């Protein structure tokens, strides 16, 4: 939308922390300092001719919230600024952002290369639902660049990675995948949900598109659902905007306003939660009941150096760890015991919350996958995922100790 008379343009070169609290839309004629919430489904037009031009997209102006809304615009502008993107488009959820991307870019006969370690619903959407419409998807190792290159076909249109992955925190080389995509005439999309723009800027590393679930860290307090795509203005305006106007997977003004305000503290939260996570990951790695810890901030992580280079030297705040067990059945029983023994951690499947959440991926986020798909993604029955919040770290360690210290008694 065009600048309003009372909007002062921000200077160039501002730090992301400044952009996170300053990029928005212009205040109304009332001059409110905190952004207004525009709870309206439609907008009054000055006359029929202006209405016609606006609905025909010949003139800027709000008409109907399924097309655009000031609260949603504010969220889109702020997220684009943080990601260093030309533009962003908001959606109702993170999965609807992936759906919008696929609907906008793919047709029957097209081919996608996707990490086999992606979020379970992403694997289902591309591997099952879009397969019904003739879109072919190859799932490859997240970390083996050679597999991505070998999977290329003449009809490959999209490479899609999530880094770090959910839940095993595997890290891919964004710049290497971007080079492969560019050479093949395809696009690279990166799900930046775990790292957020506070730690990682995929576009600066060569990616074409960024996917977000604003439900997670962007909101930061587990209040609302939201999603977004960031990228070039051409793709946003010419490919995705017309489609979302028709399909309607739009973000509600209230949810946009909540996440827009949440981003003001994004860098502070991510820094504090990541510092907490590193302490907890080190403690878990030394616990006798834990078989393995998956956390990019630990030197034991296979992609530790790459993660530190891509994520500004910070490991993030999501940890996965597996309990020692002699069988999948025992692993599941012991994982459930650890979860059920907690009193401070929330048993919930979201992440990025200021409150620590614990979950069992094999029966939740990856529960709809086949056993073969779970095995390919490395999601065993003894695996737990911890999204670290802002609690006092010793309190979380004591909470985890209740189950881990007695884990060996569970057969």
């Amino acid at each position: 939308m065009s600048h309003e008379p009372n909007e002062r343009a921000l200077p160039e070169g501002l730090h992301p922390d400044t952009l996170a609290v300053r990029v928005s839309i212009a205040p109304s004629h009332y001059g409110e300092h905190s952004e207004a919430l525009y709870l309206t489904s439609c907008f009054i037009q000055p006359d029929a001719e202006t209405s016609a031009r606006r609905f025909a997209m010949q003139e800027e102006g709000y008409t109907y919230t399924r097309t655009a809304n000031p609260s949603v615009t504010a969220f889109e502008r702020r997220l684009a600024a943080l990601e260093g993107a030309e533009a962003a488009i908001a959606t109702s959820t993170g999965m609807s952002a992936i759906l919008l991307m696929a609907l906008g870019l793919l047709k029957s006969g097209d081919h996608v290369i996707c990490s086999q370690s992606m979020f379970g619903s992403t694997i289902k959407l591309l591997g099952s639902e879009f397969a019904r419409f003739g879109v072919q998807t190859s799932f490859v190792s997240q970390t083996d660049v050679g597999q991505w290159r070998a999977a290329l076909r003449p009809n490959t249109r999209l490479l899609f990675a999530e880094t770090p992955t959910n839940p095993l925190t595997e890290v891919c080389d964004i710049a290497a995948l971007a080079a492969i995509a560019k050479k093949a005439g395809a696009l690279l999309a990166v799900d930046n949900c775990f790292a957020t723009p506070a730690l990682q800027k995929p576009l600066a590393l060569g990616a074409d598109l960024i996917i977000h679930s604003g439900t997670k860290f962007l909101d930061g307090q587990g209040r609302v659902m939201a999603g977004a795509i960031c990228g070039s203005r051409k793709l946003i305006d010419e490919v995705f905007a017309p489609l979302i106007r028709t399909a309607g997977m739009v973000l509600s003004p209230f949810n946009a306003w909540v996440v827009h305000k949440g981003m003001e503290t994004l860098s502070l939260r991510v820094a504090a939660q990541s510092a907490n996570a590193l302490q907890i990951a080190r403690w878990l790695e030394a616990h006798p009941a834990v078989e393995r810890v998956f956390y990019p901030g630990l030197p034991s992580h296979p992609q530790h150096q790459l993660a530190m280079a891509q994520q500004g030297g910070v490991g993030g705040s999501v940890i996965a760890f597996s309990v020692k067990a002699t069988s999948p059945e025992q692993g599941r029983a012991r994982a459930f015991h650890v979860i059920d023994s907690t009193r401070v951690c929330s048993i919930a499947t979201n992440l990025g919350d200021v409150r620590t959440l614990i979950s069992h991926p094999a029966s939740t986020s990856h529960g709809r996958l086949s056993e073969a798909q779970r095995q390919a993604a490395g999601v065993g029955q003894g695996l737990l995922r911890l999204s670290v919040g802002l609690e006092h770290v010793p309190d979380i360690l004591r909470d985890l100790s209740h189950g881990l210290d007695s884990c060996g008694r569970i057969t």
Side-chain angles (χ1 to χ4, degrees):
M1 311 307 294
S2 59
H3 290 297
E4 300 296 333
N6 55 352
E7 182 178 14
R8 296 188 303 167
L10 292 172
E12 298 290 333
L14 294 176
H15 189 276
D17 289 353
T18 304
L19 298 176
V21 297
R22 288 294 177 180
V23 173
S24 186
I25 59 172
S28 72
H29 64 281
Y30 292 112
E32 67 277 356
H33 188 238
S34 180
E35 291 85 1
L37 171 56
Y38 290 89
L39 289 178
T40 182
S41 58
C42 59
F43 300 84
I44 298 171
Q45 304 301 303
D47 52 67
E49 184 59 38
T50 300
S51 176
R53 289 197 302 271
R54 289 177 176 177
F55 270 92
M57 309 298 286
Q58 297 169 349
E59 177 182 306
E60 291 185 338
Y62 294 102
T63 57
Y64 193 63
T65 287
R66 179 161 52 82
T67 302
N69 176 284
S71 296
V72 177
T73 300
F75 163 69
E76 292 168 339
R77 285 186 178 183
R78 181 165 289 176
L79 180 59
L82 292 181
E83 284 288 11
E86 292 179 356
I89 189 164
T91 62
S92 55
T93 67
M95 285 309 303
S96 68
I98 297 173
L99 174 62
L100 176 64
M101 175 183 69
L103 287 173
L105 298 179
L106 304 173
K107 65 183 185 305
S108 179
D110 285 346
H111 177 243
V112 180
I113 306 174
C114 184
S115 165
Q116 65 189 14
S117 305
M118 297 283 278
F119 177 51
S121 292
T122 303
I123 294 174
K124 286 288 290 183
L125 180 65
L126 292 175
S128 299
E129 307 305 333
F130 267 84
R132 296 191 294 119
F133 300 101
V135 174
Q136 307 158 5
T137 303
S138 298
F139 293 97
V140 299
S141 167
Q142 165 83 357
T143 59
D144 187 343
V145 174
Q147 286 196 23
W148 291 82
R149 187 180 294 107
L152 286 171
R153 302 176 187 174
N155 59 335
T156 301
R157 298 290 176 264
L158 177 69
L159 278 65
F160 189 22
E162 173 187 39
T163 186
T165 58
N166 182 9
L168 290 182
T169 70
E170 292 182 341
V171 177
C172 70
D173 188 330
I174 298 173
L177 295 188
I180 292 173
K182 184 176 181 180
K183 187 175 181 180
L187 298 178
L188 172 64
V190 173
D191 187 322
N192 202 27
C193 177
F194 267 40
T196 82
L199 300 183
Q200 180 173 268
K201 302 288 181 64
L203 295 183
L205 296 171
D208 300 288
L209 294 168
I210 295 171
I211 296 291
H212 269 292
S213 172
T215 311
K216 311 300 191 297
F217 289 98
L218 300 186
D219 171 20
Q221 297 189 40
R223 298 168 292 191
V224 299
M225 308 290 283
I229 305 176
C230 303
S232 70
R233 184 161 297 283
K234 182 177 178 64
L235 281 173
I236 297 298
D237 289 352
E238 298 181 13
V239 176
F240 302 124
L243 180 55
I244 201 172
R245 183 182 183 185
T246 302
M249 63 276 270
V250 295
L251 182 60
S252 75
F254 178 76
N255 289 10
W257 181 82
V258 169
V259 182
H260 179 258
K261 301 304 291 182
M263 284 190 286
E264 293 176 351
T265 60
L266 176 65
S267 65
L268 297 174
R269 287 185 282 105
V270 169
Q273 288 168 267
S274 298
N276 287 353
L278 180 58
Q279 293 184 60
I280 295 170
R282 287 169 173 164
W283 178 86
L284 286 169
E285 200 167 44
H287 197 285
V290 174
E291 180 178 35
R292 185 176 177 185
V293 178
F294 304 86
Y295 180 66
L298 292 176
S300 59
H301 191 282
Q303 297 91 46
H304 172 68
Q305 291 185 337
L306 175 61
M308 294 301 94
Q310 287 187 170
Q311 298 173 202
V314 180
S317 63
V318 179
I319 305 167
F321 64 98
S322 54
V323 293
K324 291 180 178 177
T326 58
S327 68
E329 294 75 19
Q330 188 183 70
R332 184 183 179 98
R334 290 182 173 181
F336 278 22
H337 172 71
V338 173
I339 291 173
D340 292 342
S341 297
T342 60
R343 294 297 179 267
V344 177
C345 298
S346 300
I347 305 173
T349 56
N350 195 24
L351 59 92
D353 201 306
V354 293
R355 291 153 293 194
T356 297
L357 313 176
I358 191 168
S359 66
H360 181 251
S363 61
T364 57
S365 61
H366 290 66
R368 293 189 298 154
L369 301 184
S370 67
E371 184 59 30
Q373 287 175 315
R374 280 194 293 271
Q375 290 299 322
V379 178
Q381 293 295 332
L383 185 74
L384 297 107
R385 190 190 72 186
L386 199 69
S387 173
V388 178
L390 295 176
E391 300 94 344
H392 189 51
V393 169
D395 289 339
I396 298 300
L397 299 183
R398 280 192 296 270
D399 203 43
L400 293 172
S401 292
H402 297 317
L404 286 172
D405 290 351
S406 56
C407 208
R409 298 200 294 267
I410 305 300
T411 59

